[in-house]
Amino acid sequence: MRRHVDGDPDAFAEIYRRHRDRMWAVAVGVCGDRELAAEAVQDGFVSAFRRAEGYRGDAAVTTWLHRIIVNACIDLTRRVRPTSELTDEVVRLAPPTPDATGLVDTRLAVHEALHALPEGQRLALVLVDMHAVPVAEAAEILDIAPGTVKSRCSRGREAIGRALGEAGFGTTGTSQRSDTSDTREHDDPNGGGHD
């Protein structure tokens, strides 16, 4: 990043090469639509290129890029109502299923349940559960307290579990996870605690 800011013409290409796949996966999870995700990644990297001088180095480049990409996804999804496409990433939130037809049905149900969540819960689950971003880093990316990330994940998992139960898929185990749950915070309309 320093080399890019100092004028090295090849430095940002290296940043893009190192981070594009992860940013793409996060964008697909947040947007729920591959075309929209591609646009968000493009917008995000263009924004990162232009705003590189503002990078202070107090967070990892990955964290900084995550924040930019997530914000690009939010901006796009608020402007456009995408026709959501089933993505492989949602399988991480799905319960095990014995056959391929069941797997497709389960993925569809999880995808629908994930994208029915309030934005705050969806973003927290995409980062923490689908992409294994540590809670502290997710808090930095989303610019909220770690306890709020935990709370949003916990409520999001419970909501997905309920939605899958209502759809006849039984429990997913998502509501039993306690590693990131935080019961001290109460519901708000955005799926979070105290921002």
Side-chain angles (χ1 to χ4, degrees):
M1 186 64 77
R2 277 192 297 271
R3 284 173 30 217
H4 169 62
V5 171
D6 290 343
D8 182 335
D10 300 319
F12 198 81
E14 180 62 19
I15 291 169
Y16 176 76
R17 186 191 65 75
R18 289 181 186 181
H19 298 284
R20 69 178 174 222
D21 292 344
R22 184 174 178 104
M23 296 305 134
W24 160 253
V26 167
V28 170
V30 171
C31 294
D33 178 277
R34 290 179 183 272
E35 288 182 25
L36 203 59
E39 188 175 345
V41 169
Q42 180 179 330
D43 290 354
F45 273 106
V46 167
S47 179
F49 181 88
R50 291 178 178 158
R51 294 170 39 193
E53 288 186 10
Y55 173 70
R56 298 183 308 270
D58 52 355
V61 172
T62 304
T63 303
W64 182 73
L65 285 172
H66 268 115
R67 184 178 296 155
I68 291 171
I69 298 296
V70 166
N71 285 336
C73 291
I74 291 169
D75 290 345
L76 282 172
T77 54
R78 285 180 177 166
R79 279 195 312 237
V80 178
R81 279 243 174 233
T83 303
S84 293
E85 175 185 329
L86 178 64
T87 61
D88 290 337
E89 288 81 4
V90 300
V91 76
R92 294 191 185 147
L93 295 172
T97 183
D99 59 44
T101 303
L103 180 60
V104 170
D105 290 344
T106 303
R107 284 182 177 177
L108 284 168
V110 172
H111 187 270
E112 186 175 312
L114 178 66
H115 287 279
L117 292 175
E119 182 177 87
Q121 291 177 8
R122 186 177 71 252
L123 294 175
L125 280 177
V126 165
L127 291 171
V128 174
D129 285 3
M130 293 172 66
H131 296 287
V133 173
V135 169
E137 187 178 340
E140 266 191 83
I141 291 164
L142 299 173
D143 198 24
I144 57 177
T148 303
V149 173
K150 293 176 183 180
S151 177
R152 289 179 182 182
C153 285
S154 178
R155 280 196 300 278
R157 290 181 197 116
E158 289 171 7
I160 288 175
R162 281 192 307 273
L164 292 179
E166 290 168 7
F169 289 96
T171 61
T172 64
T174 56
S175 60
Q176 280 98 26
R177 285 185 53 178
S178 60
D179 58 325
T180 59
S181 63
D182 186 334
T183 57
R184 292 172 295 167
E185 298 182 81
H186 303 288
D187 288 1
D188 73 21
N190 220 6
H194 305 107
D195 288 348

